[in-house]
Amino acid sequence: MKETILSHSLRRIFAGGAAAGLSLLAQGVQAQDQAPAAAQPIARVEITGSNIRRAQAETASSVQTLNRADIEKTGRTTVAELLQTLAIDNQGSVPTSFGGGFAQGASGISLRGLGAASTLVLLNGRRIAPYGLADDGQKVFADLNIIPAEAVERVEILKDGASAIYGSDAIAGVVNVILRKDFQGTTVKASYGKSGDWDGRDTRLAITHGFGDLDADRYNVLFSLEFGGKREVYNRDRAGRDQIGRADLRDKGFSAQEGFGGTGAIIDGRTAAGSAVNGNVRSPFLSNPADPDSPRLYYNRGNPAGVGFTRFFPAAACGNFTSHPQGDPGGGCLTDAQQQYQQIQPRQNSYNLFGRGSFKLSQTLEAYAEMNYYWTESQSLSTPSNVSASVGYPGGPVSNAGAALGAAHPDNPYFGTAARLRYLATDVGPRTSAINSKFGRALVGIKGTAMNWDFDSSLLYSTSRVKNNRNGFLQRNVAFALLNPTAANVAAANTNPAYAALPPGTVWRIAENAGLNSPAMYAALSPAISNKAQTSITQIDFKGTREFNQVMLPGGPLAVAAGIEYRNERTELAPTSGTELGNIIGLGYSAYFGKRDVTGVYAEALAPLLKTLELTGALRFDHYSDVGNSYTPKVGIKWTPMRELALRSTFAKGFRAPSSAENGVGGLAAFSTASDPLRCALGVDSACVAGPIAIITSPNAALSPERSKSWSVGAIWDPLPRTSISLDFWQIKRKNEINQEQTDVAIAAGQVARDPSTATRPGDPGQITAVLANYVNSANTKVRGVDLDGRTSFNLGSGRGTLAMDAKWTHLFKWLRTEKDGSERDFAGTHGNCDVTNCIGTPDDRVNLGATWDLTPWRVSATVNYRAPIKNTLFKNDPAGCAFTFADGRDAPNGCEIASFTTLDLTARWTLRKNTELFGTIQNVFDKIAPLDPLTYGATSYNPLDYSGALGRYFQVGMRHKF
C-alpha cells in the first residue's frame, strides 16, 4: 500500500503543467527521499472531466494543467495569449488581433481545430455567458479575455470529449479556469512592454488583496483588480519588414491579376478595375464601336490620355496622391491601402475585477460567493470604403457595381454621359470599429458534508453585453444620389433626413476636389452606426459525491457522483444600423435572437476493480426546450501494471446544441473569398483566383444537435525519477455538423447571384456578388491525432541549481470532412478550411518546448513554439491545385507551401528580497519574420498564427511585491 501511495503522489506531480510543475516535482522527490511514505498527505482534488474528488491527478482522460507560473515563464500577459500558443489549439481559434472579424475584441480557443463553439470554457467548473458577437456571425463562444490572470490558480485542459459531465459544447474538450479560493495579504504586480520598434506598448497593473484565515477566522475574502492597456500597431509601422502588412507584393513575383499588385489597379485587359484614390472610371462607349460585344474599358481619372475623355483633370494625377511605386500596365493609380490603414494589433484597454468570499458556517458547511466584472474598450481600423463593394442582407444581395459619376457630375471625365466609378473614399477616412464589452458574473453557493456525501450547490448569473460603434462606412442610397443624382437615386436617398436637409443639387466631390465638400454632406454620407448584443445564463445546480465503504472492491471503495442543473440561456444581437436593408456599402449583416431552457441530470462512478485497475463511467441526460433530448455516456479505464507505467483509454459520446445564431430568428450576410470556375473557363483571368464575395445565410429552426463519438488510447511512462512521458492517440468523429453549405459547392450548384453588367465578353454571366447558402446539418468530420507530453528535471549539483524541461507535440493524422453528397476533403496540413475564422489553415504539427533553470535567487526560462509548414491548397489533393499563383503561373508561395514558423521566448525572474521579485521577458528573441501567406483574410500577407513574427521582437519588464 505504501508503494501505491508513492506512485500516486508522484503521478499527481507529473500531471502538472510545465517547468513550474517540474520544479515542484524535484521538491516532491527530495521530500520522498527524506520522509517515510506514511507521512505523505494525499489531498483529494476534483479534476476537470470528473465530479469525483480523488487523490490521483492522472485519470483515464488526458488532462493538461497550466498554473500561474506557466503563464509567467512564457512572458504572456494574459491567459488568452498563452492558450493560443498551445499545441492543441488549431484552426478556428479567435485571436484578439483580428479586428476585421465579426467577434472583434474577443479571443477564443479551438481545441483539435473543431472550432471555438465546440470547446467548452468553464470558470471554476461552471459555465459563463458567451461573448455577445458570434464568430463568423454563427459560432457562439466564450471570451478568454475575461479571465483575470493574477487570480488564476491553474488552468486544466481536458483533451477529450466531456458531454457526459458538462453537457453541450464539450465535443473537442474543456478548458476549466480555476481561480484562487484562499489568499491572505496584498500583492502588487506591474509590467511594461514594448516592441523592438518601440511601439505596441502593453501596460499591466494588478492588485490582489485577501484577508481572513478560513480555519482560524472561519472566513476568507479576496479581491483582484487588474488593468491592461495595449496600443495599436499599424501595418505601415512594419514597412520594410519583408512582406508583413503589404498587399502590394509585385517584388515577390505577384501582380494585380493575383490580387497582390496594390489597390487601384486596372486589370483583365482594362475590363475591370480596383478602387483608386483618384478614381478609375469606365468608358461609357464600346472599345470597338463596330462590335456590339466589345467591352467598355476602364481608365484612371488622372490619365492625360484617357480615351474618350470630355474633360481632363491635371490635379487628379496619381503623383498628387501617393508616392507609392507605380507600374500598373493598365494605367491604374496604385496604393497599398492595407499597409497604410490596417493594423497588426488594435488598441485595447481592459479592466478586470474578481472577488470571492468563503465563510465557514460549521465544521461541515461552507458558504461562498464569487463576483467577476470585466470591461474592455478596443478600437480597430480598416481601409476606407470603396463605392462599389457589394452588400449582402437577408433580403438578397445588393450589387453596387453600377456606382457611377452622373452625366453632370463636375469630376466626371466623361462629362455629359454617366460613367461607372471605382473610388477609394480616403476623403471619408478609414473605417473604424470601437468595441465596448462588459462581462459580469455573480455566484452564491454552499458546500459541505452530510450523511457521508460531499455536496455543492450554487446559483449563477452571468451576462455579456457588447456595443460596436462604427464610423467611416458609406450609406449606399446617399452615396449613389450624391454621385449620380438621378430622380430614382434622389428619391431613394430622401428617406434619409440628413440627406434631405442638404441644399438641392449637392454632390460628393471626390479625390482632388474633396476639400469642397461640407461637413453636413459627410454627415449624411457616413454617419456613425452601431449595434448591441447581449447574452445571459442563469443557472442553479446541485451535485454530490461520496465513497461507499460498504461496497469495497479489491482496489478500494466505490465512488459515485450525481447532480442536476437547470439553466436559462438568452442571446440577442441587433443588426448594425442600415445593414438590415443592405444600405451600408461593404458591411455584412448579422442579427439573431433566441432563448431556451436546459435541464441536465448526470451520474458518475469510479470503480477500483483492482489496486492496479480502475474503471470510470458517466451518463448524462439533457433536455433542451428547442431541440429536445440528448443522452451522452462516457467510459474510461486505467491500468497500472507497474509503478512506472499506466495505460489508459476512454470512449465518449458528445453533442453541441445549435446556437441562437443557427436556429433562432435572424440571419447572416458575411464576406469571404472564392474563385469563379465558370468565368475562369471563359478566360476571365481575375475569376481564376479568390476574390471577395458575399455569403447570405439564414437560420434554420429544424436543425438537430451535432453529435460526436470520441476515443483515446494512451500510456504514461515514468522511466526515471523526475521524468514522465505520456503518449495518447485519439479520434473525434463529429456528425450532423451545423455549417453553411460549402462556398465552392454552392457556386458549382449555381446558388449564386451575379451582376450581368460586369460581363467582359459574350457568354460571360458577370461576376458573383453573393453566394446563397443555408445553415444545414450537412457534414461529418473525423479528426485523428496523437499527443506527446514529456518532462524531466535534473539536479545540476551544489551551487548549480536545477534544470527542468518539457515538450508537448500534437500531430494530426487526419482532419477529414465528408459532405452529404459523399465528397471528402482532408484539411490536415493544408490551408483549409477557409470557411471558418481567418482562414488560418490546419497545421498538422504544433510543438511547445520549455526549459527552466532555477538557481536561487534567479529563475530563467526558455520557450520554443513551432508551427509546421502548411500546404497552400484548400484541402489535400485539391484538383484545382495551388490556391495562389505568381504572375508567371508558378505556385505561390514557392512550392505551394506556407513555410514553418518557430520562435524562442526568454524570461528571467530575480528575487530581489523576500517579498519582491523583478522579471523581464524577450519574446521572439531572434526577431523571426512571419512567412508569406497570401490566402488568409485574417491578416495582410502573414498568417494570424504567426502574429509574433509580424509584431517582431518584444520586450517586457515588471515587478511583483507582496506586503
Side-chain angles (χ1 to χ4, degrees), residues 713-735:
V713 177
I716 312 105
W717 181 40
D718 307 338
L720 299 168
R722 309 173 186 172
T723 301
S724 180
I725 301 170
S726 67
L727 184 70
D728 291 279
F729 293 87
W730 52 268
Q731 177 180 288
I732 301 172
K733 185 174 182 180
R734 182 174 61 182
K735 67 177 184 178

Side-chain angles (χ1 to χ4, degrees), residues 805-824:
M805 296 184 294
D806 67 277
K808 295 177 177 63
W809 167 54
T810 292
H811 173 73
L812 295 179
F813 295 114
K814 182 178 293 187
W815 210 107
L816 183 67
R817 179 168 168 175
T818 304
E819 301 296 340
K820 267 192 164 181
D821 62 5
S823 61
E824 294 184 339

Side-chain angles (χ1 to χ4, degrees), residues 434-448:
I435 297 285
N436 187 305
S437 174
K438 297 176 182 178
F439 169 84
R441 174 179 175 268
L443 174 77
V444 292
I446 188 168
K447 63 181 181 179

Side-chain angles (χ1 to χ4, degrees), residues 286-296 759-763:
L286 296 174
S287 55
N288 182 358
D291 181 3
D293 291 325
S294 63
R296 293 173 170 85
T760 61
R761 63 204 70 194

